[in-house]
Every structure is written in C-alpha cells, then in structure tokens.
Amino acid sequence: MTHLSKLGSFTLLCIASLTIMVGALVAPGLISISTALGINEYAVWLVTFPALGAVLFAPIAGKSIDKFGAYRSLIIGLILYGALGFAVYWLQGPWFVLSNRILLGGITAVVMASSTVLISQWYVGHERLNMIAKQGMAIELGGVLFLFLGGKLASLYWAYPLSLYLVAWLFLLMLLLFVPRKHPTLTAETQINSTQPQQGLALKHVYLFATLAMVVFFTAIVQLPNSMAQQGFNEALVGNVLAFISLVAVVAAHFMPKVARYMSTSYLLAIAFFAYVIAHFVFANANGLSIFFVGSVFAGVGFGFSIPLLNHMTVEKSAANVRGKNLSYFTMAVFGGQFITSFVEFIPGGAAASFYACMLLAGIVSVVLILMQHNDNKVICSQ
C-alpha cells in the first residue's frame, strides 16, 4: 500500500487543529470582541454556537462527503472556513453574527469529517489508529496554540484574532501540494474487514459515549475558570491550568494506541471515564493550585484515551461508502457534547455541584462499559 508523505500527514494534522480553534479562538478576547460586534449580552454564544452549527449541519456534511468525495469536500470546507471566520469582522448585531457562527460550525463539521475520511483512505489497521491518535493530539495542540495567539492578538486589537481563521487557506494550499487527490485502493481483504460485523460497541454506542465524554470533559473546561476565580486565582493561572489539561491530553493520546494493544476498547474507555471520575472529584475538592494541576492530569488522560479511540472505532466500523456519513454523526456527537455544557451553569449548587454530577455520570458510564465487555466475553466463550 502506498504511504502518504510526511508533509502530507503533517498537512492532515494541521487541518485537524482547526476543529477546536473554531470556538476557542475568540475566548481570550471574548469581552472586547463581543462588545465590538454588538452582542455583549450573548458573548458566550460566540464560543458555543459553532458547536450548535456542527450538530445541525453534520448530516448534510456527511451526505456531501459520500457523494462528492472527501478531497473535494475538504477543499470547499477550507475555503469557506477561512472566509466565514474572517467575515464576522464586517457583521453587527446578534442575528448576523450568530448566524455566521452557526454556519461556521457547519463548515467545521465538513472539515473534521472529510479530513478523517482522508486519513482512513491512506492508513489501515494499527497505522490508522496511530494517525487518528495523532489527530487527537493535533486538535489539543491547536487549542493550546490558538488560545495563546488569540489572547496575544486580542490584547493588541479586538479584531486581530479573527485573522487566524485565514490559516485555513494556508492549510488548503498545503493540501493541494502535499496530499494527492488519488488515494490508494484498499485491498480486497481490507474492504471485507471494514464491512464485516465486529465484536464490541455498536456505532450508536460509540456516538453516545463520544457525547458523554465531551460533556464530562468540557464541563471541567467551563467550570474551572469560575471555581478557580472564587479561590482568588487570576486569569493567567486559569489559562495555565487549561493549557496543561490540553498538553496532558496530547501525551495520553500519544500512548493510547500502545495501551490499546493490551486490552479491549471497552476496558480502555472504562479507564478513560474512571480518569474523569478522579478528575472531577479532585476539582470539586481542590483548595490549592497544585491540586488543580493533579486533577488536570486525570482530565487530560480521560480525553486522550477516549475521543481519539472513539473516532477510530467509527472509522473501523464503517464501510467505505458510508464512512463520511458515519464520521459526520461522530462529529455531531462531539460537538453536541460541547454544546450541552452551555447549560451546565444552570445546575444548582455552583461549580462543585457540577463537578460531582459529572463524577457520578462518568462513574456510571465506566461501570456500564465494564459490564458490556463482560457480556461480550460471555458470548464469545459460549460460541
């Protein structure tokens, strides 16, 4: 099988970094940006509405990818991503600005799903798992990088962060230069394996656990600033903790394929959700900066062991002709989980109550995963 060049692989990982950038980019300068755009009463929606757009448009994105091909869809997606992201500079008022953010989220669903389809076309087996793990690392590194750059640029002028959306056009040029349009043809054996029924989680379970993983993970991201502010920590320290979570997630995603060699996917996911249990328990009881960093380690492990693995499972359980559609549903699940966290602040009892609620949810999911694997083992033994 022909391999993609290192520059081609690097290009697909760069494109993956656009996923978390879509909402996070404006977060550091949220107050000044929302005021300049005339939507200061709906400031948080600048961050969360792209996730809503991804949920709403993901099914359309998936059908487009399967019909027109991942490469062509990615080209169109990158063009529109840069254009829509930067165009908000000329818009004013909630209706126009938030409509733009929803459309941008829809385009992000196209970019995320089509780039993953391209990875699935160039890599198979454990190489594919390694590449998708790297994709998860790139997403988190993108969050660290673009949050940092967004904050620096926002301190100079409110609109400067918006120019970073145009990096999608640079990635488009890299795509055209380094990723061939014609991908390798899958062998007959590979095609058969990709369509055969497999043991383990069904796709509907993969989508469900992806949604729950993002709800639990993003609750920490949403609530940590409030919890830390109540203890007197400034925004810089909050940013350091959030960036540390992303860095740990990168390391965990790197080691995830190696761990996956020694246990089933259900057990590995159970470990990921148990890591979330520990993280939220620590966050709920943290009374010092060092304790917040301890919780951050487990939160990063939870993300690095869950989302890349679930992404890979979606690919492995999808026949080639419906892979775009299924990956778009996975995108919907991921962004749906992010959007649900918009309502976490309404849980009575403040940040601590939210942490305990997510701890309980993650614990239940972990037990369910262990029981599901136990039942699968019994079925296999009885055959």
Side-chain angles (χ1 to χ4, degrees):
M1 179 176 176
T2 305
H3 287 280
L4 189 61
S5 68
K6 290 183 178 180
L7 283 173
S9 300
F10 179 70
T11 297
L12 294 180
L13 296 178
C14 286
I15 292 171
S17 70
L18 298 176
T19 304
I20 200 168
M21 167 185 166
V22 64
L25 181 62
V26 299
L30 191 59
I31 303 301
S32 59
I33 293 173
S34 61
T35 301
L37 296 177
I39 61 164
N40 53 307
E41 294 182 2
Y42 308 96
V44 175
W45 289 3
L46 276 175
V47 179
T48 59
F49 261 46
L52 176 62
V55 172
L56 294 176
F57 288 97
I60 300 174
K63 291 179 181 178
S64 300
I65 292 168
D66 289 333
K67 182 176 181 180
F68 300 109
Y71 198 96
R72 185 181 301 176
S73 299
L74 186 54
I75 290 174
I76 296 172
L78 290 172
I79 292 172
L80 293 178
Y81 186 102
L84 283 171
F86 189 63
V88 76
Y89 173 76
W90 289 280
L91 302 179
Q92 274 286 321
W95 173 254
F96 291 109
V97 172
L98 296 179
S99 295
N100 171 279
R101 300 298 285 177
I102 289 176
L103 290 174
L104 180 61
I107 293 302
T108 304
V110 175
V111 171
M112 182 177 178
S114 56
S115 63
T116 306
V117 171
L118 284 181
I119 289 174
S120 75
Q121 292 171 343
W122 282 97
Y123 299 89
V124 295
H126 204 74
E127 286 187 352
R128 179 184 288 167
L129 177 58
N130 282 328
M131 187 60 182
I132 290 181
K134 290 178 181 178
Q135 183 188 44
M137 295 163 61
I139 291 172
E140 284 300 310
L141 280 175
V144 175
L145 176 63
F146 289 119
L147 277 170
F148 173 77
L149 292 177
K152 291 292 184 183
L153 292 175
S155 66
L156 300 175
Y157 182 58
W158 72 267
Y160 284 166
L162 302 178
S163 63
L164 292 177
Y165 283 114
L166 296 177
V167 76
W169 293 354
L170 171 61
F171 295 163
L172 170 61
L173 178 62
M174 294 168 62
L175 176 73
L176 296 174
L177 290 175
F178 305 129
V179 181
R181 287 177 178 266
K182 186 173 178 59
H183 59 82
T185 303
L186 294 176
T187 64
E189 179 183 358
T190 304
Q191 291 180 17
I192 292 172
N193 287 342
S194 67
T195 57
Q196 281 182 337
Q198 301 179 30
Q199 294 289 339
L201 302 178
L203 270 175
K204 61 182 180 181
H205 295 142
V206 172
Y207 301 147
L208 173 62
F209 291 132
T211 302
L212 294 176
M214 292 307 295
V215 168
V216 175
F217 177 74
F218 256 77
T219 296
I221 302 300
V222 170
Q223 290 295 346
L224 276 175
N226 295 329
S227 179
M228 294 184 68
Q230 290 173 6
Q231 297 189 32
F233 295 109
N234 59 33
E235 294 178 350
L237 288 175
V238 174
N240 290 340
V241 169
L242 295 180
F244 183 69
I245 292 176
S246 294
L247 289 175
V248 174
V250 170
V251 176
H254 171 74
F255 286 103
M256 183 273 292
K258 298 177 176 62
V259 179
R261 291 178 181 269
Y262 301 102
M263 65 180 67
S264 69
T265 53
S266 294
Y267 282 149
L268 186 52
L269 282 175
I271 291 174
F273 276 94
F274 188 70
Y276 283 137
V277 170
I278 299 174
H280 283 275
F281 177 79
V282 172
F283 289 147
N285 294 278
N287 56 3
L289 186 61
S290 59
I291 306 301
F292 280 109
F293 275 109
V294 171
S296 299
V297 170
F298 289 98
V301 169
F303 182 93
F305 277 12
S306 59
I307 297 302
L309 179 61
L310 290 162
N311 194 5
H312 177 257
M313 291 169 68
T314 304
V315 173
E316 290 293 291
K317 293 176 178 293
S318 302
N321 62 325
V322 293
R323 194 165 286 156
K325 180 188 71 173
N326 291 346
L327 282 168
S328 71
Y329 288 144
F330 177 80
T331 301
M332 181 190 298
V334 168
F335 280 103
Q338 291 185 32
F339 186 70
I340 289 171
T341 58
S342 302
F343 306 99
V344 166
E345 61 181 334
F346 297 111
I347 296 178
S354 299
F355 291 138
Y356 280 124
C358 283
M359 182 188 75
L360 178 62
L361 174 61
I364 293 172
V365 173
S366 185
V367 171
V368 168
L369 282 163
I370 292 172
L371 292 175
M372 291 176 69
Q373 182 60 49
H374 182 66
N375 288 336
D376 282 344
N377 292 342
K378 289 174 64 176
V379 170
I380 293 173
C381 291
S382 64
Q383 290 178 347

